Amino acid sequence: MRFGDERTRPSVDLASRIAVERPATVIDLGCGPGNSTRVLRQRWPEAHVVGLDSSPEMIDAARADEPFEEWIVSGIEDWAPSAGFDVVFSNAALQWLPDHCALVERLFRAVAPGGALGFQIPSADFAAVRHLIHGIALDGPWTPRMSGPLGELTMEPPGLYYDCLSPHARSVDIWETEYFHVMDSSAAIVDWIASTGLRPFLAALESEDETRMFVSRLSEMVRQTYPPQKDGRVLFPFKRTFVVAYR
Ligand SMILES: C[S@@+](CC[C@H](N)C(=O)[O-])C[C@H]1O[C@@H](n2cnc3c(N)ncnc32)[C@H](O)[C@@H]1O
């Protein structure tokens, strides 16, 4: 959670824009260690809030911090609630699942009348570092093993989410925000991305030598792409897409 504050901010921005005033039930899909769930608890103190994540370690960490919430270990793809939720929320998780039109239609069906589905994912062209990673993946001894990692994240253009949700929704609100995260150094950008979008690429490398080569090439390109500001810190622009659909 070294980047906890930076990463929690989009869930605050999303939750504050969901215009459902007194939901009885709220679910946080892909809740991680519970940071976004805590945001939901603050936004709607009277609601029954549930956190769901496929990682037992994440749920253990969340439960240790907030033992009185309800926590579920499950894949979002396997989640089939018996009753609708007033708010179905997901921050920075749906990009790990495929087939977004079918996915968001299915999640929207889990919204109770008068409620909302709200989610945030990185935008398709979220940051220059994504292009750097793809360039290195396509130019090395590892390239034959990179088709999986190159297709691992799914981020569709805003129009797809609109077209898939608007036939079923009262209204659909979509926006993009580019955050300029203030990082201590360009190495901190590589550290951040190593625990998210870079992970599938690192997992496909076959030796420590390959990992060292991949990471040192990336670190050098990141250093050139993200120059330091006057105070020595580095700005990391990161674009995110937000969608809220009301039933
Ligand atoms: C970047 S974290 C976001 C955590 C939290 N929502 C937040 O905003 O701090 C993404 C989370 O999605 C979870 N995740 C990824 N794929 C998932 C899936 N198919 N079903 C459920 N959770 C998933 C991961 O385990 C991880 O905890």
Side-chain angles (χ1 to χ4, degrees), residues 7 11 28-33 35-36 52-55 58 74-77 91-93 95-97 196:
R7 287 185 182 179
S11 59
D28 184 10
L29 300 176
C31 63
N35 297 41
S36 47
L52 175 147
D53 202 283
S54 54
S55 156
M58 291 288 180
S74 165
I76 295 167
E77 56 277 35
N91 184 64
Q95 72 273 14
W96 295 105
L97 286 94
T196 58

Side-chain angles (χ1 to χ4, degrees), residues 140-211:
W142 42 68
T143 299
R145 281 171 264 132
M146 288 295 167
S147 59
L150 286 165
E152 180 100 21
L153 294 182
T154 301
M155 286 96 55
E156 301 290 357
L160 177 129
Y161 300 110
Y162 183 83
D163 285 343
C164 296
L165 289 167
S166 60
H168 317 288
R170 254 189 310 129
S171 65
V172 182
D173 182 15
I174 305 179
W175 71 99
E176 252 183 3
T177 299
E178 186 161 31
Y179 295 89
F180 284 75
H181 298 297
V182 179
M183 311 298 284
D184 285 339
S185 64
S186 66
I189 295 177
V190 177
D191 279 358
W192 175 330
I193 207 87
S195 63
T196 58
L198 184 58
R199 224 173 42 206
F201 295 89
L202 297 180
L205 300 175
E206 279 185 343
S207 65
E208 282 181 15
D209 270 357
E210 276 196 2
T211 306

